[in-house]
Amino acid sequence: MTANSLKIALYALLVAASPLFAQSDRSQTLYADFNGDGVRDMYVVDADGIDHFFFSVNGALVDKTGDANLDGQTNTVQAVSTDLNNDGALDLVLVKDDDSLVLMQNNRGRFSDVSSSQSLQTAAAAAVAAAGPYQAVTAVQLNCVNSIKDQAGGCLKASSTPTLGLLYPLTQDLFVATSGNVGIGTTNPGEKLEVAGVIYSSSGGFRFPDGSLQTTATAQGPQGNQGPQGNTGPQGDPGPAGQNGIQSINALAGPILSITGSGSASVSTSGSTITVNVPTATCTYSGKTYTTGSVCYLGYNEIPCTFGFRADRLVCQADGSWNLVTSSLCSNPAPTPLCGQ
């Protein structure tokens, strides 16, 4: 087996195992030397109804469907190679699904339709009869995995170019695993859809399992409950100075209320003098008599003071009793007059 023959054999296995060329009762791979270089070329009758033609060029199979003027051939159920005009080049007879024959005459690797020739039609019919009905090789028939089965149970049809309703050759850009998971940007999707990249929704948004629809990622949820009371913060800075208080009334000149030693009291109001007679009484301390209103200070011996003499004092009351007025102040020397002196 030559290297090129091995490549053709390997390609045939790939064709048989690929959903792009799925074997069925209307699929066929025809091998023949159409360009006379001694190496077999390949004509594929595909299950999707679109035919493909490959030339063996420099040890590689190259799709020459368009260059050979064989594009647009559809609904073929069998392909037969034969020399219709006895020019030494193999021509093609294509049996269509309505049993009609399309005759493609080979002219140095480019084919032309000669189906209108009645004599060639007769030769073509004989060649088809000699070849017999094509039987798909069951050993290489493809059983589609569930992820690419159509509703009729067969393989989804494919296209070599992006076509609505047809499978496109799978790559990392778009991959369907045998589990049915779909990957975009990855050939190992772990979920029903895994995207290795940014997902953009131009309209509509995204719907979640609970039925909610989210059209923006900036949606704000409801107000939550108030949290617990926080710790007391540090002491704040002093506040601004308050407003000035109400202006006080100027004091009157001279005593407002004075009590003389005679027991008379006088009240001065706006220059007028009111005299009030107060009953005269006396108070006694250590044998000394004091008149009402008299004040004397208690000495050191009576109430000691650490730094001198306390300024506590006695005031003679109108009923003859003493009123003690205490003070936290100390003086040195002792305040005068001292009580009893």
Side-chain angles (χ1 to χ4, degrees):
M1 177 180 289
T2 65
N4 188 66
S5 298
L6 179 59
K7 288 183 179 180
I8 293 178
L10 291 175
Y11 188 81
L13 291 176
L14 292 174
V15 166
S18 171
L20 295 179
F21 303 108
Q23 295 289 333
S24 70
D25 59 355
R26 58 175 297 170
S27 301
Q28 176 190 0
T29 304
L30 173 66
Y31 304 100
D33 181 8
F34 290 100
N35 58 358
D37 61 357
V39 180
R40 292 191 302 171
D41 308 301
M42 184 167 59
Y43 190 90
V44 177
V45 176
D46 189 11
D48 65 2
I50 302 175
D51 296 357
H52 304 271
F53 181 68
F54 296 86
F55 262 149
S56 177
V57 180
N58 297 325
L61 287 170
V62 180
D63 190 336
K64 293 290 186 178
T65 306
D67 294 341
N69 195 32
L70 291 171
D71 52 337
Q73 292 296 333
T74 60
N75 302 319
T76 304
V77 297
Q78 184 179 356
V80 176
S81 61
T82 184
D83 187 1
L84 292 174
N85 56 354
N86 299 313
D87 63 353
L90 290 177
D91 307 306
L92 274 170
V93 179
L94 305 178
V95 183
K96 300 299 181 177
D97 55 5
D98 60 356
D99 293 330
S100 63
L101 301 180
V102 174
L103 313 182
M104 301 300 295
Q105 184 173 293
N106 185 0
N107 182 17
R108 297 181 181 180
R110 184 171 177 82
F111 294 80
S112 58
D113 192 337
V114 293
S115 303
S116 60
S117 173
Q118 186 58 48
S119 60
L120 294 181
Q121 280 283 346
T122 301
V128 171
Y134 176 76
Q135 297 295 328
V137 182
T138 58
V140 295
Q141 284 184 341
L142 175 67
N143 293 321
C144 292
V145 294
N146 290 332
S147 59
I148 58 173
K149 277 187 177 180
D150 62 15
Q151 294 179 348
C155 291
L156 292 175
K157 295 180 180 181
S159 172
S160 59
T161 58
T163 305
L164 184 63
L166 299 180
L167 283 177
Y168 183 64
L170 301 180
T171 65
Q172 181 172 294
D173 295 335
L174 176 61
F175 183 82
V176 181
T178 56
S179 62
N181 292 347
V182 177
I184 298 178
T186 175
T187 56
N188 188 29
E191 300 294 339
K192 289 298 181 184
L193 174 63
E194 180 175 336
V195 179
V198 177
I199 299 176
Y200 173 67
S201 173
S202 60
S203 64
F206 298 92
R207 189 174 299 279
F208 293 90
D210 62 357
S212 62
L213 179 65
Q214 184 171 328
T215 58
T216 175
T218 59
Q220 184 175 353
Q223 178 69 36
N225 297 328
Q226 183 174 348
Q229 177 70 35
N231 297 328
T232 302
Q235 178 68 35
D237 297 332
Q243 297 179 353
N244 294 331
I246 300 174
Q247 179 70 35
S248 62
I249 301 174
N250 292 330
L252 298 175
I256 296 177
L257 174 64
S258 62
I259 302 176
T260 65
S262 62
S264 298
S266 63
V267 179
S268 176
T269 60
S270 301
S272 299
T273 300
I274 301 176
T275 301
V276 180
N277 294 322
V278 179
T280 301
T282 60
C283 300
T284 302
Y285 188 91
S286 296
K288 185 174 177 63
T289 301
Y290 294 88
T291 59
T292 301
S294 298
V295 177
C296 67
Y297 292 89
L298 297 176
Y300 174 78
N301 293 332
E302 286 80 3
I303 303 178
C305 186
T306 302
F307 300 104
F309 296 89
R310 289 280 294 272
D312 295 347
R313 63 187 182 275
L314 295 177
V315 179
C316 181
Q317 304 297 307
D319 60 355
S321 63
W322 289 103
N323 180 34
L324 174 62
V325 180
T326 62
S327 174
S328 60
L329 299 178
C330 296
S331 65
N332 191 4
T336 58
L338 292 178
C339 296
Q341 295 182 1

